[in-house]
Amino acid sequence: MKSLILTLLVVVSFVSFANAQNIGPATPVVNISGGVASPNIGVGYSYIQSEWDIDGAGDVEMEQNQVYAHIGAVFGDESTSNYEVFARIGVADLEDDDDLDFDADEELMFAVGMRNEFFQGQVFGIGGVLQVSYIDSFDDNTTVRLGGTDFDVKTSIESVVDAELAFPVQVKANNALFYFGPVAYISTADIDVKVSNGFVSASDDTDIDENHNLGAYGGLAWRTENMSFELEGKYKSDLSVGGFVSFVF
């Protein structure tokens, strides 16, 4: 029964993890108020592909859509570097691409982060971005047919955490800001699977982690006096792309 559970775990664990949101450049939009800070409000979308290692059961591929709202506070003036602290709230859904008819319901996700400009000259700059996201729990029920028998499978995902730390190099050209650099990350969760066919039942729980811990990302930010529009690509365990727009006031 242990091997059966692990097999089912690989098959049905296309779960909705809160990973790979838009990172963006280290330099935020400018604090335009002349005061201590300016609010920065935005929305973002990400399409994510990733590969995860299930302890004792091999790798599994996932894909996901995310939509989220961004609320930040931008600091900085002529005598200090520019930086932003922010929070995000959004939803993520999931559909598998292996003909399993797995369609996860949307789940709330939360994130906090900070970006800081270490240096930005007329052209070149560098800085850092740190963000951490979290999902409290995720539950899904499905049926898998093995050996002519239907098994009811309940998958529970708990304490889903993703942390990303990036150090982009930046190139500024008029209103455009190109950025690229390494991103270190840790993505992990607990997964519990309960299997039943109406006569017998069994359960198993284990850890699941995204493959590797170092990737790369890059993008383009188009900035005006109070608006930022960003397009970004990222490669961690697999490719992700996204867009983000925000307004400072």
Side-chain angles (χ1 to χ4, degrees):
M1 182 62 71
K2 179 79 170 180
S3 61
L4 172 61
I5 294 171
L6 291 177
T7 300
L8 290 170
L9 190 64
V10 173
V11 173
V12 303
S13 298
F14 296 88
V15 295
S16 181
F17 288 91
N19 64 309
Q21 295 177 36
N22 185 82
I23 296 177
T27 300
V29 289
V30 177
N31 176 15
I32 63 173
S33 67
V36 175
S38 296
N40 186 34
I41 308 298
V43 293
Y45 166 79
S46 295
Y47 170 72
I48 303 156
Q49 299 178 106
S50 57
E51 297 180 357
W52 291 68
D53 176 65
I54 301 175
D55 188 19
D59 293 344
V60 60
E61 296 183 357
M62 308 175 191
E63 65 178 36
Q64 180 185 88
N65 296 282
Q66 294 181 350
V67 179
Y68 55 89
H70 173 104
I71 303 173
V74 180
F75 300 83
D77 53 34
E78 293 182 355
S79 62
T80 62
S81 62
N82 297 315
Y83 67 97
E84 178 187 18
V85 293
F86 61 85
R88 290 172 175 172
I89 182 171
V91 295
D93 68 1
L94 183 77
E95 293 183 9
D96 73 84
D97 57 358
D98 291 326
D99 298 324
L100 296 177
D101 296 323
F102 184 88
D103 188 0
D105 293 333
E106 293 83 1
E107 289 294 325
L108 282 174
M109 62 182 185
F110 307 91
V112 294
M114 177 179 180
R115 69 186 74 253
N116 189 82
E117 172 190 277
F118 301 156
F119 166 78
Q120 180 62 56
Q122 292 294 321
V123 177
F124 295 102
I126 190 171
V129 184
L130 171 65
Q131 60 185 27
V132 180
S133 57
Y134 177 79
I135 287 179
D136 180 63
S137 65
F138 192 99
D139 299 314
D140 185 61
N141 293 279
T142 188
T143 300
V144 176
R145 190 173 184 83
L146 292 174
T149 302
D150 290 335
F151 291 86
D152 295 323
V153 183
K154 180 179 180 180
T155 305
S156 298
I157 309 301
E158 300 175 347
S159 302
V160 184
V161 178
D162 180 74
E164 297 176 306
L165 178 62
F167 294 98
V169 175
Q170 304 177 163
V171 179
K172 186 177 181 181
N174 297 322
N175 289 339
L177 185 64
F178 299 90
Y179 58 94
F180 56 92
V183 52
Y185 61 93
I186 297 175
S187 303
T188 185
D190 299 322
I191 182 169
D192 179 76
V193 176
K194 294 181 174 63
V195 183
S196 173
N197 66 355
F199 299 98
V200 296
S201 62
S203 64
D204 188 32
D205 61 86
T206 189
D207 297 326
I208 181 169
D209 302 281
E210 186 173 3
N211 290 345
H212 315 306
N213 295 109
L214 185 64
Y217 86 116
L220 167 66
W222 183 265
R223 298 279 173 80
T224 65
E225 183 177 351
N226 64 344
M227 187 273 288
S228 177
F229 177 73
E230 301 169 15
L231 291 175
E232 183 175 289
K234 185 189 309 182
Y235 193 92
K236 291 163 60 174
S237 61
D238 208 333
L239 181 65
S240 302
V241 293
F244 176 73
V245 60
S246 68
F247 300 88
V248 65
F249 57 92

